[in-house]
Structures are given as structure tokens and as C-alpha cells.
Amino acid sequence: MRTGSRLSAAILALFLAGCTGLPAGLDPAGPAAEMITGLFWWFTAICTAVWALVVLGLGASLLRARPADDGASPLDRGSARRISATRVVTALVGATALVLVALTISAFITGRGLAQLRGEQVRTIEITGHQWWWEVRYSDGGPAETLATANEIHVPVGEAVRLSLRSNDVIHSFWIPRIGGKQDLVPGQVNHLDFTIDKPGIYRGQCAEFCGFQHAHMGLVLVAHPRDEFERWFSSQLKPAQAPRGAEARAGQQAFLSRSCVMCHTVRGTPAGGKIAPDLTHIASRSGVAANTLPMTRGALAAWIADPQAVKPGAHMPRTELDSDELNSILAYLEQLK
Ligand code: CUA
């Protein structure tokens, strides 16, 4: 079960962002990912050569004429044959050891290269894994420049980024195939993942460690922006939520604030300050709902709020009894939280 789930998540993630051409895991988007991809191809080449030699040897031995059956045990057939067999086995054991040493050294060199890439850290982003969503915090710039979002990481292109990875409950694993590297989020421990992205774009990721019922619905998105675009995104996210415009959205805000939503969710600039679920201050600016289980559309948001357990059974978001007017007004309010 565990191995099967990890394998299926790995295969899913490998293909997440690579619908055309190579699978995403082999289409690197930055220097660290390029190094890891290079190492992958090197391992693949060596292992393919070893496999081909083994198959050739096996074929040759099968095709070789069998010695005449003289009634003697194969073990007793002459000391010359035994000596040559000993030599062949010794040579092959030596070759195997050499191959393993070469692979170990190349992995070590790649690890060193990755460590040297780190250089000065420009930006640290804190990622916390929850069952089953990703909390994303930017707190490099002090309290005035701290913001939290969820399931979406935005970074500037060409800038070294360090992710500091924690878990709030069980072990998760952070993996965006095209940025290279995969790192576990372990309760009580902080792990790191460093990368730089070369090209602007949207990179899909996935939790890659079985972490419970909705592990497969723990998706995330990394958006790499040109620097000025990133700065615009950052300053717009820093702002508190805008006041609702229109009667329906105002009623929606009232409904939101009077319901249990506020126990778990924060909307900065309002009394809603819950810390155990995603920050909704700018929810409408994000591309997905329920850790990218659904796209960010009014219908998907309605389905999620009306019955979270139908969308994502086992998720910690409870069902809130709302009549259709309340649901519509809450949707109108949330849609304005850009
Ligand atoms: Cu989190 Cu799997």
C-alpha cells in the first residue's frame, strides 16, 4: 500500500508539468535541476551498459556448445576450466565494485555541486505541510513584510531561493519535478531545499510521501515571475483584504464572519484570524481550490464550501450548513478577495 502509493504519486508528479515532450522530472528549469538530471542520465547510461553486457554474456553462454556428457559432475571438469571460471568471476566482481565506486563518486560530485550553487541566500520561504495542504509564509523582511498564502509559491526568476520545510502533523514530501530535488517535511525538524529558476512559468508539484487519505490531493503550484512582476505580486499580497463592494458581498462578509469559518481561516483586515487552515486574504488570486484539487472557479468554490467531504473525503474542513443565499453571498465575497 505504502510503496504503491508512493510509486503512483511519483509517477503522477513526474508527468505533472510535462504534458508534452519529456516528463517534467527530466525537463529541468534551473541549475540544480540540471545537475540532478545530468546525474540521472549518467546513472541510466551506466546501468544500461551493465544490463546490455549481462544480457550479452547470458546469451553467449546459452549459445555456447555444451561439453560432451562424460558422466562427470560439472564441478569436476578439469582444473583449467575451474581456474578460468575463478578468473572470470574475480574480474566481474572487480568490475562491479568499480562501477559502484564510479556511481558513488559521481553522486558525491553532484552533491558538492548542488551545495556550491547555494551561495548567498537571497530569499527564504517557509513551507509547512498540513494534512492536506501547503502553508507558504514569506517572513524575510520582518513583521511588516510577512505574509501567508497557501498551495502556491511565487518566486522571482534568477534569484536563489531557500525553502525551509516543516510539518504540522505527519511526514510529507515536497516535490516539484522541474526544480529538481525532493525533500521530506518531518515533524519536529526543519529541512531545506535550495533552487533557482531560470525561466518564468508555472511549475506543478505534488506531495510525494503517502501522508493519509487525501495525499494524492495535496498539490501545489510554483509560479516563477520576472523580478518586477514578482514585486507587484508581493506588494499586492501584503495588502489586507479589500472591503467588500456591493450588497451581496457585504452580506457575504457578514455571513463569513458570523460562521465557524473564522475559527480556522484568516482574512487580514477583518476579525477573522484562525490559524489552522489556509489564509484567505487573497484567495481569489490563487489558481486552485482545496490544494489544487479543483480550479479556482465560482462553481468549484461553491462545491468545496457546500460539501468539503464530497470533494475531498477526510479533509479537516467541516461542512457548514448554509442556505443558498448565504452560500452565494459568501462566494461573492470570496471572489473579491483578489
Ligand atoms: Cu502530504 Cu502526501
Side-chain angles (χ1 to χ4, degrees), residues 130 132 134 170-173 206-212 215-216 218:
H130 298 261
W132 292 276
W134 306 88
V170 299
I171 300 177
H172 304 272
S173 185
Q206 169 66 35
C207 179
E209 169 86 27
F210 181 68
C211 57
H215 151 72
M218 191 168 164

Side-chain angles (χ1 to χ4, degrees), residues 214 217 289-290 293-294 299-315:
Q214 290 298 334
H217 287 149
V289 178
T293 304
L294 298 172
L301 205 50
W304 175 237
I305 296 169
D307 194 356
Q309 298 304 314
V311 173
K312 210 165 155 177

Side-chain angles (χ1 to χ4, degrees), residues 72-90:
S73 151
L75 295 172
D76 294 335
R77 282 210 190 98
S79 59
R81 182 175 284 272
R82 241 178 285 140
I83 288 167
S84 97
T86 308
R87 278 191 191 137
V88 169
V89 170
T90 310

Side-chain angles (χ1 to χ4, degrees), residues 120-125 140 154-162 194-198 225 227 230-231:
E120 295 167 27
Q121 291 313 319
V122 179
R123 189 177 299 275
T124 303
I125 305 172
D140 263 2
H154 291 248
V155 298
V157 161
E159 196 176 279
V161 174
R162 160 160 277 209
D194 300 279
F195 65 90
T196 307
I197 301 257
D198 285 342
H225 302 273
R227 186 156 234 318
F230 172 80
E231 295 300 345

Side-chain angles (χ1 to χ4, degrees), residues 4 81 92 97 99 163 166 172 223 236 253 265 271:
R81 182 175 284 272
L92 290 179
V99 167
L163 299 183
R166 300 150 211 264
H172 304 272
V223 187
S236 77
Q253 188 192 43
H265 293 286

